[in-house]
């Protein structure tokens, strides 16, 4: 089979989604499945839907259109604010979008009116991640303006954590989000239906001891796809961590003197300097590189160590014996490596398990299909 390729186990993704939907359901929270790391791959989105998520979310309209074209019919929201030239598409294809700017919301409203519809708006509140968000003290007047805007309907508020910063939210943050929802409603009536507490970084809080209060939704990407906690990188109990694997082919295997990394010459390139010593190590070169994935986010089979990567090569220390040229190595990926591999045109995507094509569930076990995206 072609390499490099990502192999995708839809059954494990569905099982992860189902587990999280059930666990969060007992706390009164719904799950939105986040598809941005897999570029809205329709089979993966379909596996999340089969797992029971209440809806999907993506950061790019292109990915949303990809899912809609493949027949994914559930509610989809934009978790990144829409761009000026995509208002029409966002209104047409998305049920809701997360927003922080009045100008954008006015344009969404105008586009929705033109299409004879109303677009739902969720206001992202800044709670310490310092990426996008309306400052808490400005939220009430902001919400009042949204409510007064034709063509849009205020659906809820949301917070975001551990994206730009690596700070996980605290119970205090969540209590504040709930208070903000109360405040908005105090002025504007019962309009805050959706209170979305963040992404996978917030699972520990939801599944912990305390009450989840008014927070009734999480937007989960990494936990469903990789079964890991974005803050610690650790596996989350009960979830599959091997739904994805990267396969790369060995193109050289030899014993060479140890290499010592010396100085950095900017970007991601590293100079490797030959050092005289008798300790000849078995080294394997894989035909995959920084153009295909984030090499620093890969996990190699046990006993193998990452030495370095360039745009098209990854060098591995295989200690005992090298791998035969032409053989394949199975490699684990973190979120960043997965995201890059899923969006890299030269990385094939091979799907195993139940696939949805144009929205029609396909029950028979399919052979792996190869899609170059
Ligand atoms: C990426 C993203 C998520 C999902 O984050 P995970 O850590 O993958 O669960 C949720 N909300 C927003 C706004 C995002 O950008």
């Amino acid at each position: 089979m072609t390499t490099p390729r990502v192999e995708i186990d839809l059954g494990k993704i569905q099982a992860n989604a189902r587990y999280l939907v059930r666990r969060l359901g007992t706390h009164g929270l719904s799950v939105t499945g986040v598809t941005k790391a897999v570029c809205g791959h329709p089979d993966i989105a379909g596996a999340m839907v089969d797992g029971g998520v209440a809806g999907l979310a993506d950061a790019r309209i292109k990915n949303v259109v990809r899912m809609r074209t493949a027949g994914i019919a559930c509610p989809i929201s934009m978790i990144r604010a829409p761009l000026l030239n995509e208002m029409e598409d966002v209104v047409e294809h998305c049920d809701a979008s997360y927003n922080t700017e009045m100008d954008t919301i006015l344009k969404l409203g105008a586009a929705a009116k033109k299409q004879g519809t109303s677009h739902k708006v969720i206001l992202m509140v800044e709670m310490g991640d310092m990426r996008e968000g309306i400052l808490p003290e400005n939220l009430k007047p902001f919400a009042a303006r949204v409510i007064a805007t034709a063509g849009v309907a205020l659906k809820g508020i949301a917070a975001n954590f551990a994206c730009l910063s690596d700070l996980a939210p605290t119970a205090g943050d969540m209590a504040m989000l709930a208070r903000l929802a109360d405040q908005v409603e105090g002025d504007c009536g019962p309009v805050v239906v959706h209170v979305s507490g963040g992404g996978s970084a917030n699972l520990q809080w939801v599944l912990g001891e305390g009450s989840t209060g008014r927070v009734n939704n999480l937007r989960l990407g990494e936990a469903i796809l990789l079964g890991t906690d974005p803050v610690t990188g650790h596996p989350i109990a009960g979830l599959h961590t091997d739904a994805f694997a990267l396969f790369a082919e060995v193109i050289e295997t030899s014993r060479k003197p140890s290499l010592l990394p010396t100085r950095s010459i900017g970007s991601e390139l590293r100079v490797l300097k030959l050092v005289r010593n008798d300790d000849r190590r078995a080294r394997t070169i894989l035909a995959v590189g920084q153009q295909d994935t984030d090499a620093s986010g890969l996990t190699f089979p046990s006993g193998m160590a990452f030495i370095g990567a360039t745009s098209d090569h990854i060098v591995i220390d295989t200690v005992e014996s090298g791998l035969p040229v032409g053989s394949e190595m199975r490699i684990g990926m973190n979120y960043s490596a997965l995201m890059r591999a899923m969006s890299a045109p030269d990385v094939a995507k091979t799907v195993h398990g139940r696939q949805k094509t144009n929205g029609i569930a396909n029950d028979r076990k399919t052979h792996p299909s190869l899609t170059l995206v």
Side-chain angles (χ1 to χ4, degrees):
M1 240 190 287
T2 325
T3 61
R5 69 175 184 279
V6 175
E7 294 208 8
I8 305 156
D9 185 329
L10 296 179
K12 287 179 178 164
I13 294 163
Q14 185 188 333
N16 283 356
R18 191 171 296 287
Y19 178 87
L20 290 163
V21 165
R22 211 180 51 231
R23 290 289 307 273
L24 266 63
T26 63
H27 294 267
L29 278 82
S30 66
V31 173
T32 299
V34 177
T35 49
K36 69 182 181 208
V38 295
C39 301
H41 192 297
D43 291 327
I44 298 170
M48 290 182 176
V49 172
D50 288 345
V53 298
L56 298 169
D58 204 289
R60 298 187 185 215
I61 189 66
K62 189 170 118 228
N63 298 342
V64 175
V65 171
R66 184 181 178 199
M67 292 189 275
R68 289 293 189 222
T69 307
I72 302 282
C74 72
I76 303 182
S77 45
M78 277 285 282
I79 40 171
R80 186 177 71 180
L83 309 186
L84 279 182
N85 69 356
E86 53 190 42
M87 300 297 170
E88 274 81 25
D89 285 342
V90 169
V91 167
E92 183 182 343
H93 299 291
C94 300
D95 300 80
S97 57
Y98 288 73
N99 286 280
T100 59
E101 289 283 358
M102 209 53 227
D103 274 356
T104 310
I105 294 167
L106 289 170
K107 292 195 171 76
L108 280 168
K113 270 174 59 184
K114 232 199 261 168
Q115 291 182 29
T117 180
S118 165
H119 181 74
K120 297 192 189 90
V121 166
I122 298 159
L123 298 179
M124 192 67 96
V125 187
E126 169 54 58
M127 296 199 62
D129 190 46
M130 293 300 180
R131 201 177 65 180
E132 77 280 26
I134 299 160
L135 293 175
E137 59 266 34
N138 298 336
L139 184 66
K140 255 196 334 181
F142 198 111
R145 285 193 68 193
V146 174
I147 290 165
T149 302
V152 296
L154 182 63
K155 184 187 177 196
I157 63 172
N160 200 38
F161 299 91
C163 277
L164 191 59
S165 73
D166 54 5
L167 293 176
T170 62
D173 293 328
M174 291 295 102
M176 177 165 159
L177 188 64
R179 257 196 326 274
L180 287 168
D182 290 342
Q183 278 177 17
V184 168
E185 293 199 331
D187 275 16
C188 308
V191 286
V192 187
V193 175
H194 185 82
V195 183
S196 185
S200 303
N202 217 354
L203 275 171
Q204 285 200 8
W205 169 75
V206 171
L207 301 177
E209 298 286 291
S211 150
T212 46
R214 279 202 71 168
V215 177
N216 60 12
N217 171 268
L218 288 190
R219 313 175 302 274
L220 302 179
E222 179 164 344
I224 297 178
L225 298 169
L226 294 176
T228 45
D229 178 328
V231 179
T232 61
H234 296 156
I236 298 167
L239 298 179
H240 297 283
T241 54
D242 58 351
F244 294 86
L246 176 66
F247 287 80
E249 188 173 318
V250 174
I251 50 170
E252 182 190 294
T253 187
S254 58
R255 285 190 174 275
K256 289 187 183 173
S258 294
L259 290 168
L260 286 186
T262 53
R263 66 203 159 82
S264 167
I265 51 161
S267 71
E268 286 166 343
L269 299 176
R270 231 195 298 169
V271 176
L272 294 174
K273 191 173 122 192
L274 269 176
V275 173
R276 267 175 206 284
N277 78 22
D278 297 328
D279 176 25
R280 295 194 167 229
R281 317 272 295 184
R283 290 172 2 123
T284 292
I285 300 181
L286 300 169
V288 65
Q290 298 284 23
Q291 266 194 48
D292 308 298
T293 188
D294 175 359
S296 67
L298 301 178
T299 309
F300 298 94
S302 68
M304 305 195 180
F306 175 70
I307 295 179
T310 59
S311 55
D312 305 286
H313 299 77
I314 290 181
V315 182
I316 308 293
D317 185 328
T318 42
V319 189
E320 288 302 317
S321 60
L323 297 169
V325 168
S327 61
E328 288 184 358
M329 187 183 284
R330 182 191 168 100
I331 304 160
M333 290 176 285
N334 71 4
Y335 193 76
S336 160
L338 173 71
M339 183 184 67
R340 291 255 292 270
M342 288 304 292
S343 55
D346 292 338
V347 179
K349 285 83 184 171
T350 307
V351 173
H352 300 278
R354 189 162 174 266
Q355 292 163 39
K356 288 197 154 189
T357 339
N358 289 323
I360 302 150
N362 187 349
D363 270 323
R364 76 200 144 75
K365 263 273 191 221
T366 46
H367 291 293
S369 69
L370 198 64
T371 336
L372 273 168
V373 206

